Amino acid sequence: MFGARFLVYNRMTKIQTDMLPHALEQIAARHKFFSPGQAIDSLIGPSLHQHRSEFQFRAVEDLLREAAVLLDRSAAERQVKQELEEKLLFFWLDQYKNEEILRSKDEQIAAGEHSIAGRIAEHEELMHRAAAVISELQVSKNNEAAEQRKPEDQHYQRRVDLNSRVTSLSAHQNTGAVQAASADLTRLQMEQELLSAEASVYAAGIGREIHQSNETISRIRKDFSFSNAVQLDRQHDAEKKYSSDRRILAETPGSALNYIERLEEVQRLFEEDIVAAYKRCVAAQRGLEAVFGIRIPLPNVDERPITELVLWLRRAVEVMSELTDREQSLYYSFAATQILEGDELQALRDGRRARFSINREDLLENRLIRVIGVAAEVSTDRIDEEWPIQFHLPSVAAVIYNDGSSAAISQDDIGIIYVSSCPNPSAKIRRDCENGSRTFRNACPLGQWSLQIGRSNLGRSPSAISDVFVHLKLNMVT
């Protein structure tokens, strides 16, 4: 029994060294997003390169703002993920430890841990009961011996007589005196033996009472131990049920203890946000280089994508902030009759494409000239008429960078810009210019444009138009 308990103890101490790697292995098997020893977001880093960015790269400011929001959200999700992962780790470590302890406890109970105290008390009760019986016999026998040493007892008188006769037989003279002295000596010895016997009776009585009390104590301890063993068994069963219920809840869909399910939900949100942020950073990096001539290479995101992207974003925002400090916005307006030549003006009135060019000299040699918004105002004899207007920006534009260098960039991907004139152009035009589409925002205006007007809402052809006023909102570095 005690050997079994010793083996169980050795097994319990082994839990401290074997439990951690076992639990980590089990958790990693259950939770595909958990990998011990790796950064919390490093599992997704290497896969970010597989995602292509389809965003319009010219809207750099918008892309940087959106990337910042997404990275902020990703960082918050990573924090939630770390907290859930910590809870997951401690939950299952505690669960595996408790299950192992309960298995060891089962062996201890089988070895008699709960019943051994009652069984020992039961044997002690039997021992004290036997000792009480023996003490009772001792009291009885000591009483008999004490009675035999009293003067009125016949054994007392016979012993005195026998001692007197034996002594007189050995005497050669003064027989009577010797016999009387012998009788006195025998009486004195008998008195001493009587005192000793009475003391033995008293001691045996005390011993009997002690053993009887110990028997009662052992019986009480036995009854308590057996009753307590039942309660300990119930408590152990309750602990096993609690552990089993915790495991069931941890594997039940929708349960608050199902940390794996909760982690997978956070992981999905985290992946979507970090991928979306990465795509915008890729587009913004391309826009910074193509539109502004600023080269800030994207970092290696294999190990710490959030940290590296945040640092890159901070640098990009800082560079853009320095640039916009020297930037101005203005409206560049012109009439079609002034900028279009004869054939092109006729093409416009025929409803065909009319081509015109905007040169660097038209904008006073400024740098980083970018289109922010486009609007148009049509002049006719009616004020309640609206005209659909299409603009085609230069398919190849000349970009003048901040350092004075220039480059030709393709703008074929921009497509058609649709605007419409209105009876109250002063408000409409400003609104259109302020709310330019991301499709063409930050496009370069230097190059060949085209303009085309369709039939109005009243069904009239562009031939009814006397002139078209084009308004461009531009940002530039002066």
Side-chain angles (χ1 to χ4, degrees), residues 67-86:
V69 171
L70 289 165
L71 285 174
D72 184 64
R73 202 159 65 192
S74 297
E77 289 159 352
R78 181 177 64 175
Q79 179 66 28
V80 173
K81 186 174 183 292
Q82 287 174 325
E83 293 172 358
L84 285 174
E85 209 157 57
E86 181 182 3

Side-chain angles (χ1 to χ4, degrees), residues 416-476:
I416 302 173
I417 301 173
Y418 297 92
V419 299
S420 65
S421 66
C422 68
N424 185 12
S426 60
K428 172 73 171 158
I429 290 171
R430 182 168 294 277
R431 186 168 65 252
D432 284 346
C433 286
E434 292 293 340
N435 297 315
S437 169
R438 279 176 61 161
T439 305
F440 63 86
R441 190 175 306 157
N442 282 332
C444 179
L446 302 181
Q448 187 179 76
W449 291 60
S450 67
L451 171 65
Q452 187 174 3
I453 303 176
R455 287 186 173 273
S456 73
N457 61 330
L458 300 180
R460 295 205 296 171
S461 70
S463 61
I465 297 174
S466 60
D467 207 345
V468 179
F469 299 96
V470 179
H471 306 279
L472 302 181
K473 183 179 182 180
L474 305 176
N475 280 356
M476 62 183 69

